[in-house]
Amino acid sequence: MNHSLIPVIAIDGPSASGKGTVAALVAQRLGFHYLDSGSLYRLTALAASRAGVALDDEPQVAALAAGLPARFEAGRIRLAGGQGKDEDVTDAIRSEASSAGASKVAALPVVRAALLERQHAYRQAPGLVAEGRDMGSVVFPDARLKVFLTASAEARAERRYKQLMEKGMSANITSLLQDLQERDARDAARSVAPLQKCVDAELLETTQLSVEQAVQAVLGWYRQRLR
Ligand code: DC
């Protein structure tokens, strides 16, 4: 099948907006493939640290990104190491260190270019839900539907707080809110793939919505486009 005929739904938004949860559920309901593009940046940062490559060594990090020995299987992510060993890194890539590393390598244009082909390969029938920063602007500009999903900083801080509590981790809502506001400002100001809503994206404000309502809104827009 001609790739450009395979529908893509691109979903972006600020951190802790719930875009990952909504994107995964939309993919499940439609029976579509799902691309969590942030995980590729997280994996690249982790692979670089493990290989002893400095995160600002653009050519070396890009070479790692291009050949990233990662496998996605049944909701788990595995990274091949030396001597044919591979390791489950599903939790390791969610650590604070991997988040910080991912945001560094994501600022390198050659690394972004190296990951482009890999992301295009996810476009498989019957369709793809792609989540992340430049999905609608750079990776899949011809997406059938683009959604910018957001919520107030307070609502996002509260959601993250609940998530951490459920995992048995301690958290402080005031410092979570401050972290989110600082990250938003940094994300919006960065020169490479800044956080911004595409002009042709639908805005989904989820402060007052449940996850299910947000999923239904995305599915509703998608159905409209099929008519
Ligand atoms: O969505 P996330 O927190 O897993 O993303 C990790 C980092 O990668 C974050 O700094 C944003 C960046 N990112 C990006 O620049 N482009 C993408 N398509 C996805 C993530």
Side-chain angles (χ1 to χ4, degrees):
M1 185 173 186
N2 178 346
H3 260 209
S4 61
L5 296 176
I6 298 173
V8 175
I9 299 178
I11 302 187
D12 190 15
S15 56
S17 57
K19 60 184 190 294
T21 309
V22 172
L25 282 168
V26 169
Q28 199 186 66
R29 301 280 167 88
L30 293 170
F32 279 15
H33 298 275
Y34 170 54
L35 166 62
D36 163 12
S37 61
S39 71
L40 298 177
Y41 291 94
R42 291 169 177 274
L43 277 164
T44 301
L46 187 72
S49 319
R50 301 229 163 142
V53 170
L55 295 183
D56 58 357
D57 183 340
E58 191 163 3
Q60 290 267 27
V61 178
L64 269 173
L68 207 58
R71 288 189 294 134
F72 292 75
E73 276 172 10
R76 306 300 295 177
I77 305 177
R78 304 188 69 85
L79 188 62
Q83 294 138 11
K85 283 193 200 134
D86 75 359
E87 189 193 340
D88 187 323
V89 294
T90 320
D91 298 324
I93 61 162
R94 299 287 149 203
S95 70
E96 270 314 301
S98 291
S99 300
S103 112
K104 282 190 193 143
V105 301
L108 306 174
V110 184
V111 172
R112 302 195 74 84
L115 286 174
L116 208 52
E117 207 180 312
R118 191 175 190 112
Q119 296 177 89
H120 285 156
Y122 281 83
R123 189 172 196 167
Q124 304 260 347
L128 173 69
V129 179
E131 173 222 329
R133 193 54 38 91
D134 54 351
M135 294 299 102
S137 53
V138 177
V139 184
F140 302 108
D142 62 340
R144 189 77 58 90
L145 168 65
K146 301 177 188 179
V147 177
F148 190 82
L149 193 148
T150 190
S152 70
E154 289 74 14
R156 289 184 284 131
E158 208 166 298
R159 288 174 193 171
R160 172 120 322 153
Y161 180 80
K162 281 194 188 140
Q163 249 175 17
L164 292 170
M165 288 293 138
E166 278 161 17
K167 285 189 189 162
M169 294 155 99
S170 65
N172 173 306
I173 196 143
T174 315
S175 67
L176 281 174
L177 178 59
Q178 200 179 342
D179 281 357
L180 275 177
Q181 285 166 331
E182 281 169 13
R183 205 187 301 187
D184 283 356
R186 221 175 25 232
D187 269 7
R190 87 177 191 205
S191 57
V192 185
L195 175 68
Q196 58 184 207
K197 178 187 161 305
C198 289
V199 281
D200 53 350
E202 300 282 356
L203 178 67
L204 183 56
E205 218 314 333
T206 68
T207 305
Q208 310 287 346
L209 299 185
S210 65
V211 171
E212 186 54 32
Q213 286 171 320
V215 169
Q216 288 305 327
V218 177
L219 291 173
W221 280 318
Y222 183 65
R223 281 187 208 109
Q224 277 174 13
R225 280 162 177 71
L226 292 180
R227 276 187 215 132

